[in-house]
């Protein structure tokens, strides 16, 4: 059954970005979530650009944001390490006797 809620109880469309569906507002407080409606905060660390501007980001989102940033940073570091190893291998091949003595057509 559907419940009809008053306009003031509805979550604003601005706070229902599909990229953050898992963090949309919910009445439960067991997980970090976006606000129901945009509100201005002045103590955001991970969403600094939204300090003093109305947004859906709120202090409860700071920990999940930091976790996501840390995971992404780790992924980038792994990609950089893989590319460096690949470049080292290419340079080793280029310095090898086989490569040095090969003709341009090979």
């Amino acid at each position: 059954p559907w419940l009809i809620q008053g306009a003031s109880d509805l979550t604003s469309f601005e706070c229902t970005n599909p990229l953050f569906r898992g963090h949309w507002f919910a009445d439960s407080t067991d997980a970090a979530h976006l606000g129901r409606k945009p509100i201005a905060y002045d103590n955001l660390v991970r969403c600094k650009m939204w300090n003093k501007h109305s947004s859906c980001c709120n202090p409860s989102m700071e920990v999940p944001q930091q976790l996501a940033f840390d995971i992404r940073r780790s992924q980038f570091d792994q990609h950089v390490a893989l590319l460096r190893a690949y470049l080292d291998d290419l340079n080793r091949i280029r310095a090898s006797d086989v490569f040095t003595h090969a003709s341009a057509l090979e």
Side-chain angles (χ1 to χ4, degrees):
W2 294 93
L3 297 175
I4 299 174
Q5 298 176 325
S8 63
D9 293 339
L10 297 176
T11 299
S12 168
F13 76 93
E14 297 162 303
C15 296
T16 55
N17 182 329
L19 293 174
F20 300 105
R21 188 176 195 127
H23 294 286
W24 285 1
F25 179 81
D27 287 326
S28 67
T29 58
D30 59 342
H33 58 271
L34 296 171
R36 182 180 293 231
K37 296 182 189 286
I39 297 174
Y41 290 93
D42 62 1
N43 60 343
L44 299 173
V45 176
R46 294 295 129 221
C47 303
K48 289 183 208 178
M49 68 291 249
W50 292 109
N51 278 330
K52 299 188 172 126
H53 300 284
S54 292
S55 77
C56 303
C57 191
N58 62 63
S60 77
M61 288 295 295
E62 298 282 285
V63 172
Q65 283 279 320
Q66 185 61 54
L67 180 62
F69 293 156
D70 292 345
I71 290 170
R72 197 68 178 133
R73 175 63 190 253
S74 175
Q75 290 171 339
F76 284 137
D77 290 345
Q78 290 172 6
H79 287 273
V80 168
L82 182 65
L83 289 171
R84 282 190 177 135
Y86 182 65
L87 179 61
D88 290 344
D89 289 343
L90 289 176
N91 285 329
R92 254 191 304 281
I93 290 170
R94 191 163 87 185
S96 71
D97 289 339
V98 172
F99 186 88
T100 304
H101 294 100
S103 69
L105 295 176
E106 290 183 64

